[in-house]
Amino acid sequence: MAKVFNKQNIFLFLLIGMVVMGKLIPFEKSYNHYFNLSAFIDWGIAGIFLLYGLKLNLKEVVKDISNWKLHLLIQSGTFILFPLLVLIFYPLVKGTEYYEIWLSIFFLAALPSTVSSSVVMVSIAKGNVTSAIFNASISGLIGIVMTPLLMSFFLTSQSGSGDQGEVVQQLLIKVLLPIVLGIIFNPVFKKWVTKYSKIIAEFDKLIILLIVYESFSTAFIENIFNSVPPVIFLILVFSVVFLFFAVYNILKLISGKMKFNAKDTITVTFCGSKKSLVHGSLFLLVLNIPEDKKVLFLLPVMVYHSFQLFYVSWLANKIAERSIDNKE
């Protein structure tokens, strides 16, 4: 029972709770007179990236940079292998009713790796934790450029999501500027951030939950779910699970060919196969995804996030038990 209701699983239950709440008590636009949820989320996004800059340990980043083959493989998995596996299907869906479903999965593939769960899972499985910290941190920074760049090939030209200049402006104001400020003030507030790291982590989750609640409230109010029938949802679930196993096993195969040790292989497969719900939720707003498409773009990210947490938690514990048995 304790395993079911651990911290990570509770967050998944809360995510489901936000979806249910969006259905039962949707946030109407008139409620903004009392509490402006959109504005609070916008400031929250900037706050998350400011704290990200404050938490970034530049010494650790510099220290582990020598293990470049490992880092290169992980980042290639995140920003090259993932998108390529989805791009293979582009000729099949171009100009069809399935194009937007494909685009929502490509959005997932373009996202950076998640920070916290990557490090935690690698630690449980007895992998290379230092490299996990480096890659999880650097992935978020690379994602600031790569995610919008990859999406720009399809969003502006085909989905009519808005002016590219506005996207860049939002990216600078909500993402890049807060991170730069965080890095600048890192020496001043580092101890404070470390001391209150648990509270800060809860703030990250709060903003994600509010983004999910707002997106699903809009979806239920405007009956957007009529555009996501059960068959489409099943296609999304199958696609993201297939994507996970394809990337995980390809990275594991390449790690073997490159003769990485067991610890480094764990780090490559765990960090390289992760995708960030935090960045997915934030980029959903920064990239000006149309209101009636937000849920369709958020669904693959939520499904992938849930699956990777449950499956990789189980896998990490299994690998850890195996290593203990081998020692004995």
Side-chain angles (χ1 to χ4, degrees):
M1 201 70 176
K3 286 184 179 180
V4 174
F5 291 101
N6 62 33
K7 280 188 177 181
Q8 289 175 337
N9 292 353
I10 285 173
F11 180 61
L12 293 178
F13 294 137
L14 286 172
L15 282 173
I16 296 166
M18 289 298 105
V19 176
V20 175
M21 196 169 156
K23 171 67 174 174
L24 300 178
I25 320 169
F27 192 88
E28 304 277 354
K29 287 184 179 178
S30 58
Y31 296 169
N32 282 320
H33 292 296
Y34 307 101
F35 177 71
N36 194 326
L37 182 61
S38 296
F40 183 81
I41 289 172
D42 281 344
W43 281 103
I45 291 169
I48 285 175
F49 283 110
L50 175 66
L51 291 166
Y52 184 78
L54 290 171
K55 287 188 290 183
L56 198 62
N57 193 327
L58 295 176
K59 287 182 180 178
E60 286 290 335
V61 170
V62 173
K63 184 181 174 183
D64 200 56
I65 207 163
S66 59
N67 201 356
W68 63 270
K69 287 183 181 178
L70 176 74
H71 308 323
L72 184 63
L73 180 55
I74 291 173
Q75 300 310 320
S76 298
T78 303
F79 294 109
I80 297 175
L81 180 58
F82 260 105
L84 279 178
L85 286 172
V86 181
L87 273 172
I88 291 169
F89 298 94
Y90 178 68
L92 300 175
V93 299
K94 186 181 179 183
T96 71
E97 60 184 317
Y98 296 104
Y99 171 73
E100 285 184 342
I101 302 165
W102 174 88
L103 187 58
S104 69
I105 296 169
F106 185 78
F107 173 64
L108 165 70
L111 292 173
S113 178
T114 183
V115 177
S116 56
S117 63
S118 287
V119 177
V120 171
M121 299 304 173
V122 168
S123 176
I124 292 170
K126 315 297 183 189
N128 187 335
V129 178
T130 305
S131 290
I133 293 168
F134 175 89
N135 280 282
S137 301
I138 209 74
S139 181
L141 295 176
I142 295 171
I144 293 168
V145 177
M146 285 299 295
T147 302
L149 178 65
L150 289 166
M151 291 302 294
S152 69
F153 292 115
F154 302 99
L155 272 180
T156 52
S157 60
Q158 300 199 34
S159 68
S161 66
D163 176 35
Q164 183 67 10
E166 190 180 345
V167 171
V168 173
Q169 184 183 2
Q170 291 291 311
L171 200 64
L172 290 171
I173 294 170
K174 292 182 181 178
V175 180
L176 198 57
L177 179 61
I179 283 183
V180 170
L181 289 173
I183 291 171
I184 290 170
F185 291 105
N186 185 290
V188 181
F189 294 104
K190 181 69 180 177
K191 288 182 180 179
W192 180 84
V193 169
T194 305
K195 184 179 179 181
Y196 296 104
S197 59
K198 289 184 179 179
I199 297 171
I200 288 168
E202 298 307 317
F203 174 73
D204 289 5
K205 291 175 183 175
L206 171 65
I207 298 300
I208 296 167
L209 290 170
L210 289 176
I211 290 170
V212 171
Y213 171 61
E214 184 188 45
S215 299
F216 277 86
S217 289
T218 304
F220 285 118
I221 289 169
E222 299 180 7
N223 293 317
I224 292 170
F225 273 111
N226 292 336
S227 64
V228 190
V231 175
I232 300 301
F233 181 72
L234 287 174
I235 291 172
L236 286 175
V237 172
F238 174 80
S239 300
V240 300
V241 171
F242 167 79
L243 196 56
F244 171 85
F245 282 113
V247 171
Y248 182 90
N249 286 298
I250 290 170
L251 289 176
K252 190 174 181 180
L253 180 66
I254 296 172
S255 297
K257 296 288 183 184
M258 294 178 74
K259 302 192 184 304
F260 285 160
N261 60 35
K263 284 189 172 185
D264 284 351
T265 301
I266 289 167
T267 304
V268 168
T269 52
F270 280 26
C271 292
S273 62
K274 287 282 201 307
K275 287 294 176 180
S276 172
L277 176 62
V278 175
H279 289 85
S281 304
L282 304 184
F283 278 124
L284 192 72
L285 305 182
V286 173
L287 294 172
N288 291 333
I289 305 295
E291 286 294 330
D292 61 338
K293 299 291 186 293
K294 279 184 180 178
V295 167
L296 184 62
F297 277 74
L298 195 58
L299 275 175
V301 185
M302 287 181 65
V303 171
Y304 193 94
H305 177 80
S306 305
F307 176 77
Q308 74 182 9
L309 276 183
F310 280 122
Y311 179 77
V312 179
S313 294
W314 171 81
L315 189 62
N317 282 290
K318 188 178 178 183
I319 292 170
E321 287 172 6
R322 195 185 304 152
S323 65
I324 290 168
D325 291 340
N326 290 338
K327 283 179 182 179
E328 291 174 353

